[in-house]
Amino acid sequence: MSVFKRRVVQLLVLIVFFWGLITFAYSQEPKQCPSNGTWIDPHGFTTICNVPDCYEAMGRISEWVSFTLAILVAYLVGLRAKSGLNANKALFLIGVYLTFISVIFASELSKVPEGVCLDLKPVAYPLAALGSFLVVWFHEDKNRSKI
């Protein structure tokens, strides 16, 4: 199989994987809290409804993005200092970062009740698609035949 065809297949597999993962995360959304603020779980225990709102979820996403971006930048600077960084490696690592952030995005937004943050929830899908593209196209294949 040619390199181009193999990369297209790898890209489609990654996109389908992340699409399914994000869709699964969103399917686990909690229902709205009852008006009295307590739920009775399946075992009969009364628990306080502690479902975050959109602002809380975005705050946690912001913390994750800041923390992981700092790690990525430090790693890229370290690679650059050791002369081990090239454009392909940098774009590959950015792709890994974007796919990771798309899953964090979906995970955190899946904790908010149904019908909340509707304008933000679709953002995880293009993040995963772009990250998958960067991972597939800029991955350095050590076994690739020399042309």
Side-chain angles (χ1 to χ4, degrees):
M1 187 182 316
S2 73
V3 173
F4 179 74
K5 286 181 183 177
R6 189 177 77 240
R7 287 187 179 191
V8 168
V9 169
Q10 290 172 341
L11 177 62
L12 291 174
V13 167
L14 277 178
I15 287 175
V16 167
F17 172 76
F18 282 108
W19 192 279
L21 187 64
I22 291 167
T23 302
F24 175 75
Y26 285 154
S27 72
Q28 305 300 311
E29 291 177 345
K31 305 298 179 209
Q32 295 287 350
C33 288
S35 59
N36 65 2
T38 58
W39 288 16
I40 298 177
D41 69 11
H43 304 291
F45 296 105
T46 302
T47 59
I48 295 175
C49 182
N50 189 18
V51 178
D53 62 6
C54 196
Y55 293 110
E56 291 176 64
M58 289 308 297
R60 283 195 304 272
I61 290 169
S62 176
E63 290 171 4
W64 271 104
V65 168
S66 303
F67 176 69
T68 55
L69 188 59
I71 291 172
L72 176 66
V73 168
Y75 184 68
L76 291 174
V77 167
L79 280 177
R80 180 72 178 134
K82 293 181 0 182
S83 299
L85 183 66
N86 59 30
N88 284 353
K89 189 176 282 186
L91 288 169
F92 170 77
L93 291 171
I94 291 168
V96 171
Y97 171 77
L98 288 175
T99 54
F100 176 74
I101 289 301
S102 73
V103 173
I104 294 298
F105 205 85
S107 173
E108 291 298 334
L109 287 179
S110 71
K111 297 174 186 174
V112 299
E114 286 181 302
V116 178
C117 297
L118 291 178
D119 52 343
L120 296 174
K121 289 183 179 180
V123 171
Y125 294 105
L127 276 177
L130 178 61
S132 297
F133 172 78
L134 292 174
V135 165
V136 168
W137 244 257
F138 295 103
H139 177 67
E140 292 178 4
D141 190 2
K142 303 284 187 220
N143 299 324
R144 189 178 335 166
S145 62
K146 304 287 185 211
I147 298 176

